[in-house]
Amino acid sequence: MNLLVIGGGGREHAIIRCLKKNPAVETVYALPGNGGIAADAVCVDIGATDLDGIVNFARENAVDYAVVAPDDPLVLGCVDRLNEIGIPCFGPKANAAIIEGSKAFAKNLMKKYGIPTARYEIFTELSEALRYLETAPIPTVVKADGLALGKGVIIAQTRQEAVQAVTDMMAGGKFGKSGTTVVIEEFLTGPEVSVLAFTDGNCVKPMVSSMDHKRAGDGDTGLNTGGMGTVAPNPYYTEEIANRCMEEIFLPTIRAMNAEGRTFRGCLYFGLMLTPNGPKVIEYNCRFGDPETQVVLPLLESDLLTVMRSCTDGTLADTEVRFSDKHACCVVTASEGYPLSYRKGFPITMTAEAAAHTFVAGARLSEGRLVTSGGRVTGTTAVADTLADAVKEAYRLADGVTFENAFRRSDIGRRALQAGKE
Ligand code: AMP
Ligand code: GLY
């Protein structure tokens, strides 16, 4: 079988390595892939949002199955386009990917179908948003409606900050079109849990839970990033909470999307907050999380390609999705300065042992050498019997990845380890 994987980050590297465990896989094409993925797949320089380029490539290269991993091609309708030329895909069509593509859509869906989430108001007029903020409870959360690379969320600690955020988004053009509609919502508290779930539109099978570390600095300080590390499973996500989430959140969401004529097939990501009033949805993503995938897939014992295809053809209920009961930790190595400005182009060295456990995100090949090309450069994952051992081993392995301006958080997994002792 020839597979096509759209995307070029650490998540895609993890997906590709996992897919290749199936002996029926002959060639994996990655569009565009990256310098590290090139060791595991045939990378072709076609951008993940170049839908015409993707379709032409797929047509000319006898692709049997495609996995569309990032949010933007999904929201733009990459799956619809590939389906039109007869290529089955893992991932939702555009009319279902809107669950991530528009926060206003997601919030309205949850309200209509009674799915627990933060209370909210949606605004398309700046003056109305500002009037609402005069009496809104503080802190409050301001979100740009559309995709904003994970940066469209402002937690405003003061009324003034909220006013600034709303003004920047609605009048200042920050986030462009994504910010012309804003959602202002209730500030929730509690541990956060990421749950990725396979679904064929009827059946939903959650993967092992995970915990992201979104802030750039130790102790959850500094700016929000795409994610500086992850652990799985998430110790706050007990079996009791998992059962509750299935009944109150996962199944109702799948049914709601069907009722709206927007059947979701693929990986649905539930960003949850375990509040004192029960689990609530912070966000939906229409795809695998990054770097959640880098800890979740290494724990998958079933064959990924078989599970993905069962989501496409509606047979997930009859397909085993089994995870190991071990623990995984992924430590991201980033370029100093990320998520703001950073220098790139530095040669990367990796010990053979580190390379075998490292998923490459922001790197390209330059005259045959791997050099940095992005903010998050690599994610190094270890699997062990205990969380403590997985964390220790991930850091030991990550020390085998070096480049000039490398930085990582030193406390990935610390909160999870403490949770276990509470
Ligand atoms: P998002 O980009 O939607 O994942 O939001 C980024 C981060 O903002 C989340 O991981 C949460 O930590 C935080 N956040 C989003 N919405 C809320 C909320 N209603 N209350 C508290 N924190 C929030
Ligand atoms: N790690 C969060 C995300 O993928 O959106």
Side-chain angles (χ1 to χ4, degrees), residues 11 100 150 194 212 214 225-227 230 269 283 285 287-292 376:
R11 165 185 56 203
E100 173 170 5
S194 305
D212 195 2
K214 285 203 167 138
T225 70
T230 35
Y269 169 130
E283 63 164 347
N285 291 326
R287 51 171 175 86
F288 282 96
D290 187 341
E292 284 89 343
R376 289 188 295 172

Side-chain angles (χ1 to χ4, degrees), residues 99-362:
I99 198 165
E100 173 170 5
S102 165
K103 291 197 195 300
F105 170 85
K107 295 299 289 191
N108 288 337
L109 184 86
M110 289 186 271
K111 185 189 258 180
K112 183 170 172 189
Y113 293 92
I115 297 163
T117 187
R119 282 194 296 272
Y120 70 100
E121 300 286 337
I122 296 172
F123 298 96
T124 51
E125 293 294 334
L126 177 62
S127 56
E128 285 171 25
L130 293 176
R131 189 164 339 115
Y132 171 78
L133 283 178
E134 285 169 15
T135 54
I138 298 295
T140 191
V141 183
V142 180
K143 299 186 174 183
D145 177 52
L147 297 178
L149 293 170
K151 292 171 192 134
V153 175
I154 307 287
I155 313 281
Q157 300 293 345
T158 64
R159 211 166 291 283
Q160 203 182 351
E161 264 176 60
V163 167
Q164 186 68 48
V166 165
T167 311
D168 285 349
M169 285 181 197
M170 300 187 83
K174 209 172 181 180
F175 310 117
K177 242 186 110 224
S178 288
T180 52
T181 298
V182 302
V183 177
I184 301 181
E185 70 177 34
E186 176 194 11
F187 175 72
L188 298 176
T189 56
E192 285 186 55
V193 182
S194 305
V195 179
L196 321 184
F198 289 110
T199 177
D200 63 2
N202 285 309
C203 172
V204 55
K205 294 199 174 175
M207 301 178 219
V208 61
S209 63
S210 54
M211 181 191 284
D212 195 2
H213 297 67
K214 285 203 167 138
R215 302 294 198 97
D218 282 357
D220 294 325
T221 56
L223 294 170
N224 252 321
T225 70
M228 294 299 294
T230 35
V231 297
N234 184 321
Y236 290 105
Y237 193 71
T238 60
E239 204 176 319
E240 187 200 333
I241 292 174
N243 291 336
R244 202 168 158 187
C245 288
M246 179 58 91
E247 294 309 316
E248 296 174 13
I249 295 173
F250 305 159
L251 288 170
T253 301
I254 298 302
R255 291 188 196 119
M257 291 297 278
N258 282 333
E260 295 293 310
R262 295 176 182 273
T263 297
F264 189 104
R265 295 186 191 88
C267 172
L268 184 51
Y269 169 130
F270 299 88
L272 306 172
M273 197 171 263
L274 308 181
T275 78
N277 299 318
K280 297 195 178 183
V281 177
I282 288 283
E283 63 164 347
Y284 291 115
N285 291 326
C286 63
R287 51 171 175 86
F288 282 96
D290 187 341
E292 284 89 343
T293 307
Q294 290 91 312
V295 284
V296 168
L297 290 186
L299 295 175
L300 179 67
E301 290 180 339
S302 307
D303 174 56
L304 178 62
L305 181 59
T306 305
V307 175
M308 285 182 157
R309 292 175 79 191
S310 78
C311 292
T312 309
D313 61 24
T315 54
L316 180 61
D318 307 321
T319 304
E320 187 184 45
V321 180
R322 194 179 66 246
F323 283 86
S324 122
D325 53 14
K326 293 190 177 190
H327 296 257
C329 173
C330 173
V331 174
V332 168
T333 305
S335 303
E336 182 75 54
Y338 172 75
L340 298 174
S341 63
Y342 47 83
R343 294 196 299 146
K344 45 194 186 185
F346 297 113
I348 303 169
T349 53
M350 275 192 245
T351 62
E353 191 191 20
H357 290 85
T358 295
F359 303 114
V360 176

